[in-house]
Amino acid sequence: MASLLQYSTLALSNNNCSSSLPSLTCHLSKRSNINTQKLLEKKKYHIKKSLICQSGIDDVSFIELPGTKEAKAQVIGSLKLKLLSAVSGLNSGLAASEEDLKKADGAAKELESCAGAVDLPCDLDKLQGRWKLIYSSAFSGRTLGGSRPGPPTGRLLPITLGQVFQRIDVLSKDFDNIVELELGAPWPLPPAELTATLAHKFELIGSSSIKITFEKTTVKTTGNLSQLPPLEVPRIPDQFRPPSNTGSGEFEVTYIDSDTRVTRGDRGELRV
């Protein structure tokens, strides 16, 4: 998800990120006649305090170690771009192939590993805002319900998925999924454009997980039919609701900052 407040919907692990950082290596050959000590004392050669020395039979290497906040931020930024590049052009995930799914999942895992654990109680304000869904692995099944039951897209039903947003208010605990849809109509009638808002309440469970509870669905026509009033869709009684659709769900926030959020659902869905 990329926050629209910043106009955009990944801490650092030493084991996984050190290879991503640029390194400065100075090789001083023992075979050379140059006096190594005098060479290092000259002003044009500056060895930072963050360098360590590795010696071999024939040379000595000075390698810059990661550790500064600036270096970590650069790595995080590059991994965010890598993930966004992996999921771009996939129509929110509807056009994702098996290879695309693996590529996106791998890029997300790199980011999650480098960023470390999320602490939502301390970073709750980062959830606030209107987020745009860029990618969901669940949409690769070609249904609007993702890994849960939902209407299919394509030839079976003339439904075209538009943009998907999440509107989160940390004070009121509102968590709304907003979906833009286009419904086909027989010629010569134009397609009907509408926006469905699935209203939820949310609560934190643990340090990085969120539980949402469904409340209601409101449908509002847009475009040529925008003058029509919004319609609240009646909720299916609990006794008739499929066991897989309980009206609530959970997901884990695996990365969050001021403009990017990565989550994994209770059925393994990756969302950006």
Side-chain angles (χ1 to χ4, degrees):
M1 296 285 181
S3 173
L4 296 190
L5 294 178
Q6 299 293 334
Y7 292 95
S8 70
T9 257
L10 270 165
L12 186 62
S13 169
N14 291 332
N15 293 332
N16 295 301
C17 293
S18 58
S19 60
S20 301
L21 290 170
S23 62
L24 171 64
T25 305
C26 303
H27 295 285
L28 304 176
S29 175
K30 288 185 177 180
R31 296 193 183 105
S32 173
N33 293 327
I34 300 176
N35 187 306
T36 302
Q37 184 63 33
K38 290 183 178 180
L39 181 60
L40 293 177
E41 289 175 354
K42 290 186 178 180
K43 291 184 179 180
K44 63 179 180 179
Y45 293 94
H46 297 286
I47 306 301
K48 296 182 179 180
K49 293 182 180 180
S50 60
L51 302 184
I52 63 171
C53 177
Q54 291 184 343
S55 62
I57 297 177
D58 293 326
D59 57 24
V60 177
S61 301
F62 292 93
I63 303 175
E64 186 178 6
L65 292 178
T68 65
K69 291 183 179 180
E70 292 78 7
K72 292 179 182 180
Q74 288 179 1
V75 174
I76 293 296
S78 65
L79 290 178
K80 284 172 59 175
L81 290 176
K82 182 179 180 180
L83 176 58
L84 294 176
S85 176
V87 301
S88 64
L90 298 180
N91 191 17
S92 299
L94 288 169
S97 64
E98 285 297 326
E99 184 178 351
D100 294 326
L101 293 174
K102 291 179 181 179
K103 185 178 179 180
D105 187 70
K109 285 180 178 178
E110 284 188 276
L111 181 59
E112 293 161 346
S113 178
C114 281
V118 171
D119 189 355
L120 287 180
C122 293
D123 293 329
L124 188 61
D125 60 316
K126 291 182 179 179
L127 283 175
Q128 179 74 30
R130 181 180 171 97
W131 297 81
K132 178 181 178 181
L133 179 72
I134 298 176
Y135 169 82
S136 172
S137 62
F139 283 163
S140 64
R142 310 301 191 270
T143 106
L144 298 183
S147 7
R148 291 173 168 77
T153 60
R155 296 181 180 180
L156 295 179
L157 287 177
I159 300 177
T160 301
L161 177 67
Q163 299 187 95
V164 180
F165 303 93
Q166 280 185 349
R167 183 174 56 213
I168 303 176
D169 190 318
V170 299
L171 295 179
S172 64
K173 303 300 182 183
D174 289 332
F175 191 104
D176 299 336
N177 289 326
I178 304 169
V179 184
E180 296 179 354
L181 298 170
E182 184 179 279
L183 305 181
W187 187 86
L189 297 176
E193 300 175 356
L194 55 88
T195 299
T197 301
L198 288 75
H200 300 77
K201 289 292 184 179
F202 83 91
E203 60 178 313
L204 300 183
I205 49 175
S207 62
S208 61
S209 296
I210 292 176
K211 179 180 180 179
I212 58 174
T213 303
F214 175 76
E215 291 194 324
K216 63 180 180 179
T217 298
T218 304
V219 176
K220 178 70 174 71
T221 54
T222 58
N224 296 329
L225 301 176
S226 59
Q227 70 276 11
L228 296 178
L231 172 67
E232 184 172 326
V233 179
R235 182 173 179 176
I236 301 175
D238 293 341
Q239 60 268 30
F240 298 113
R241 186 175 302 169
S244 58
N245 185 10
T246 61
S248 64
E250 298 177 8
F251 63 89
E252 182 182 6
V253 179
T254 56
Y255 176 80
I256 188 170
D257 63 18
S258 61
D259 60 24
T260 305
R261 177 159 53 93
V262 179
T263 67
R264 293 188 180 270
D266 51 10
R267 301 193 181 190
E269 312 98 314
L270 171 66
R271 301 185 185 97
V272 182

